[in-house]
Amino acid sequence: MHTLVLGGAKSGKSAFALEMGRRIISAQSISESRSRGLFVATAQALDAEMEERIRRHREERGKEWETVEEPVNVPELLRGRPAEYSVILIDCLTLWLSNIMHHYPHHIELHCTDLCHALQNTTVPVIMVSNEVGMGIVPESAQGRQFRDHAGRLHQQVAGVCARVVLTVAGIPMFMKGEDIA
């Protein structure tokens, strides 16, 4: 059962996704030998501020998470070794999309479709965090509008293969599709 967690900047979406992941790890560690999660970080440390942010987030996650930094090849990672883990958490899809737009500007839809195919064939629960960028003002630049439009289409595609879609506002998760895990 995959989950898409959407929200604005600093809305609490990552904290909610981590807590959901921890509950999955705890539930599976009681019944199975898998008791770790895989955290897929799509951010790249391109400056000192981002390096510090990544370091701080890694410390906050704790030892129950193995972290892999993968800015582009997320579908390949999902096809690779997910059975080792109780849950996979991808943070975040909008940074992944930005990386795809930068590296593969003529193949964006192909990469988004590939991600959804990989999700459909992944039996380990996957929680994906993404910024909902389509609820604000219309971006001033053509590139900004392109990004917003691609993000909206990506969210629709991913939501279609997820059992749960959660919108987080002011730290409050609202289930748009499906129900919370026990």
Side-chain angles (χ1 to χ4, degrees):
M1 290 187 67
H2 304 319
T3 305
L4 175 61
V5 181
L6 298 167
K10 297 296 178 191
S11 63
K13 61 191 176 298
S14 292
F16 174 78
L18 272 172
E19 180 54 35
M20 178 178 269
R22 285 185 182 113
R23 287 188 281 157
I24 292 170
I25 292 168
S26 294
Q28 288 201 352
S29 67
I30 293 168
S31 62
E32 298 179 28
S33 60
R34 297 182 300 178
S35 61
R36 291 189 65 173
L38 177 63
F39 188 95
V40 181
T42 61
Q44 296 177 289
L46 301 176
D47 59 32
E49 184 270 336
M50 198 60 164
E51 284 178 16
E52 175 60 20
R53 186 181 289 241
I54 290 170
R55 184 200 61 75
R56 192 173 58 248
H57 285 300
R58 190 181 290 255
E59 285 178 7
E60 290 170 359
R61 284 193 290 275
K63 294 180 180 174
E64 71 245 295
W65 294 96
E66 177 183 338
T67 300
V68 172
E69 294 177 6
E70 181 48 70
V72 175
N73 296 317
V74 173
E76 289 84 357
L77 190 142
L78 289 175
R79 285 191 275 275
R81 54 177 207 199
E84 305 172 30
Y85 303 97
S86 301
V87 62
I88 299 170
L89 198 160
I90 302 168
D91 196 350
C92 81
L93 289 184
T94 41
L95 282 174
W96 174 80
L97 176 63
S98 177
N99 295 333
I100 293 297
M101 289 178 72
H102 176 74
H103 294 290
Y104 304 102
H106 303 293
H107 303 286
I108 298 163
E109 298 299 329
L110 179 68
H111 284 271
C112 293
T113 300
D114 189 34
L115 174 67
C116 290
H117 286 150
L119 284 168
Q120 288 172 319
N121 294 309
T122 302
T123 57
V124 172
V126 179
I127 303 168
M128 293 152 287
V129 175
S130 199
N131 291 290
E132 178 51 70
V133 296
M135 297 173 78
I137 61 171
V138 175
E140 185 176 320
S141 71
Q143 186 177 27
R145 290 187 297 276
Q146 260 187 340
F147 177 77
R148 178 209 50 202
D149 293 349
H150 283 300
R153 286 190 292 273
L154 173 63
H155 292 159
Q156 289 181 54
Q157 279 184 283
V158 171
V161 299
C162 286
R164 285 182 292 271
V165 177
V166 182
L167 178 63
T168 310
V169 178
I172 301 169
M174 297 173 285
F175 284 78
M176 311 304 285
K177 177 182 178 182
E179 299 176 0
D180 199 357
I181 60 172

